[in-house]
Amino acid sequence: MNSNALTSRKCTSLNGHARVAGDKSISHRAIMFGALAIGETIISGLLEGEDVLHTAQAMRAMGAKISHGDDGLWRVHGVGIGGLQEPSQVLDMGNSGTSARLLMGLVGGHNITATFTGDASLVKRPMGRVIKPLEKMGATFLSRSNDRLPLTVKGAENTLAIEYKLPVASAQVKSAIMLAGLNAAGITTIIETHPTRDHSENMLRHFGVDVKVEELKGGASAVHLQGHQELQGCAIDVPSDPSSAAFPVVAALITKGSEITLPNVGINPRRDGVFITLQEMGADLRYENIQTQAGERVATIIASSKNPLKGITVPKSRVPSMIDEFPILAVAAALAQGTTKMTGLKELRVKESDRLLMMANGLKACGVDLEMGEDSLIIHGNGKAPKGGVCIETALDHRIAMSFLVLGCASNEPIQIDDASPIKTSFPDFIELMNDLGADIG
Ligand code: S3P
């Protein structure tokens, strides 16, 4: 057995306060935008997970000065738009799709060349979705077949501003185009039929950049970004990641006698679909102390096991606002009474693993009744804890690993995962935090 295997055993209850790790999407952007700004950016609450550290390493390789003080603060001295240096080594993005895709946009918009690679999971993931628009902006690419990493980007000599309608609902693609557009002469416009997380838009405004968002018919929207605006270094307080918070939240909802309080969690309306869905399932989950921090809505989340969960149909239109939360929602659905229908999930097949398949296989092995379709997952819960008693394959996917450890808190027999090491990419103190709340993971 792998030395990174871990087992989660049924626990009595989860109780107490916990500070969940910083938001991964916001942390990547804080480092990248700080590295492009004039002057100093001071970041508190940065997620010190492997994915973000890969972004920081790449930005250092392109000339930014990034330091991490004993005071816990990260300080970034940027190079200014157009000022990136060519990295002298291959940029290793590890497991991080966000680092790879956003930085391809950044390099694509600068007159430099860089080669990107990643781990066994990342080299399987599609990059054509960013290559296509970036080629229109003047970048050229040499990649492995099917647009996979490793690949080399030769940035545009004179970056062209484009208008681009996103063929997939992807904040990574939108942000890659925006990053290239920062160094384009003219206005770059990105049209989204299904609006995705808007952290790039919010944070660019925080750095003093004028970003216009136009609401279009049928819920679509257009982002307009005028190139060659300077970013001004600033202070950023990164909220806790709602995608990470969802794991202890679901653990508390499914483990009798639990009540947990998680302060300062991001509840951007384009990210909090999972909490809305859990409320619709009947969960006792509420927001308190709602505030705005560096352009992002945050709140204290209080969740308890007081109410039983019931199955629901998750509206397809909500998928972009909870794209990373379907694995943990599937765990909640497995414990709910009745059927939960999740559709429009095609994108889950190209995440760190094929999440639809990994969840369906793992839950089935635990004794859960379900049906998997090409882009759907239907879970028939009976309101009781599943059997468990299995070892789950996690396929280098942090969210699959954490989802099954959460299920182990309530399943009748322990659940083991074969490899817990990917958890370090997004939530390095997950095990400690869960055990402090009362879980039995070891
Ligand atoms: C992210 C966007 C999403 C999400 C990923 C982080 C981002 O990916 O799954 O974990 O920070 O922009 P897609 O843009 O591929 O949907």
Side-chain angles (χ1 to χ4, degrees), residues 24-25 28-29 98 101-102 125 129 169-173 175 197 199 323-324 347 351-352 355 399:
K24 182 154 73 73
S25 294
H28 281 299
R29 287 158 174 83
T98 309
R101 296 198 178 112
L102 268 59
R125 299 181 64 187
R129 54 183 63 196
S170 168
Q172 292 179 351
V173 178
S175 302
R197 64 189 71 191
H199 304 306
I323 189 67
D324 290 336
E347 274 297 298
K351 293 295 178 187
E352 285 81 333
R355 287 185 173 157
R399 300 202 198 280

Side-chain angles (χ1 to χ4, degrees), residues 8-15 251-252 254-258 405-412 434-435 437-441:
S8 176
R9 296 185 165 77
K10 198 183 185 91
C11 64
T12 351
S13 62
L14 290 110
N15 287 286
I254 64 173
T255 310
K256 286 192 185 65
S258 300
L405 291 175
V406 166
L407 183 57
C409 295
S411 61
N412 292 322
M434 290 291 290
N435 285 343
L437 289 172
D440 181 2
I441 303 174

Side-chain angles (χ1 to χ4, degrees), residues 37-368:
I38 299 290
E40 187 180 58
T41 294
I42 300 181
I43 311 166
S44 57
L46 189 88
L47 169 66
E48 292 169 14
E50 285 174 354
D51 280 12
V52 176
L53 300 181
H54 278 109
T55 289
Q57 208 41 42
M59 294 318 306
R60 282 188 183 112
M62 290 191 272
K65 300 266 176 299
I66 303 176
S67 62
H68 181 204
D70 293 338
D71 51 5
L73 298 177
W74 286 72
R75 292 182 167 76
V76 184
H77 287 265
V79 296
I81 296 290
L84 287 183
Q85 291 166 19
E86 186 165 277
S88 56
Q89 303 289 335
V90 171
L91 300 175
D92 182 1
M93 304 288 97
N95 190 255
S96 178
T98 309
S99 310
R101 296 198 178 112
L102 268 59
L103 292 178
M104 281 161 61
L106 199 54
V107 171
H110 277 72
N111 188 12
I112 56 174
T113 296
T115 299
F116 292 85
T117 192
D119 73 2
S121 153
L122 190 56
V123 299
K124 286 191 208 141
R125 299 181 64 187
M127 295 297 151
R129 54 183 63 196
V130 281
I131 293 178
K132 207 168 153 210
L134 293 173
E135 281 179 340
K136 289 183 194 294
M137 300 177 86
T140 49
F141 291 80
L142 183 62
S143 72
R144 225 155 49 81
S145 44
N146 289 326
D147 298 324
R148 301 302 202 251
L149 296 183
L151 65 70
T152 298
V153 189
K154 186 175 180 320
E157 271 171 40
N158 294 302
T159 310
L160 303 170
I162 58 167
E163 179 176 313
Y164 193 74
K165 188 172 172 187
L166 294 182
V168 275
S170 168
Q172 292 179 351
V173 178
K174 172 175 64 174
S175 302
I177 300 170
M178 290 173 77
L179 279 159
L182 282 172
N183 200 28
I187 298 174
T188 295
T189 295
I190 304 138
I191 298 163
E192 302 190 273
T193 322
H194 304 288
T196 62
R197 64 189 71 191
D198 53 2
H199 304 306
S200 298
E201 296 88 313
N202 296 341
M203 199 181 291
L204 279 173
R205 289 195 189 104
H206 192 63
F207 275 90
V209 171
D210 181 27
V211 183
K212 292 195 170 56
V213 177
E214 184 190 354
E215 302 305 329
L216 305 174
K217 269 191 250 141
S221 68
V223 178
H224 304 286
L225 175 64
Q226 169 72 55
H228 292 159
Q229 301 183 61
E230 282 302 353
L231 281 72
Q232 292 300 329
C234 57
I236 299 171
D237 190 4
V238 179
S240 292
D241 196 324
S243 301
S244 297
F247 296 104
V249 162
V250 169
L253 298 179
I254 64 173
T255 310
K256 286 192 185 65
S258 300
E259 178 168 312
I260 62 166
T261 302
L262 309 175
N264 208 46
V265 179
I267 52 157
N268 180 320
R270 294 193 186 186
R271 288 290 298 283
D272 75 343
V274 70
F275 301 132
I276 308 295
T277 302
L278 289 166
Q279 283 169 338
E280 286 175 5
M281 292 171 81
D284 177 37
L285 185 165
R286 61 183 193 279
Y287 297 156
E288 280 186 3
N289 193 21
I290 298 177
Q291 292 177 21
T292 302
Q293 190 176 295
E296 294 287 343
R297 219 159 66 110
V298 301
T300 297
I301 295 187
I302 301 172
S304 92
S305 58
K306 206 163 66 196
N307 300 344
L309 298 177
K310 60 175 196 294
I312 62 157
T313 295
V314 182
K316 224 175 171 174
S317 58
R318 194 178 290 156
V319 171
S321 72
M322 53 180 295
I323 189 67
D324 290 336
E325 284 67 74
F326 282 96
I328 192 62
L329 183 71
V331 168
L335 274 289
Q337 173 71 55
T339 296
T340 297
K341 279 192 192 159
M342 298 168 262
T343 55
L345 305 184
K346 206 167 107 208
E347 274 297 298
L348 293 199
R349 297 209 179 264
V350 290
K351 293 295 178 187
E352 285 81 333
S353 70
D354 178 343
R355 287 185 173 157
L356 211 43
L357 184 67
M358 300 308 291
M359 286 312 295
N361 285 350
L363 288 174
K364 243 192 239 162
C366 290
V368 177

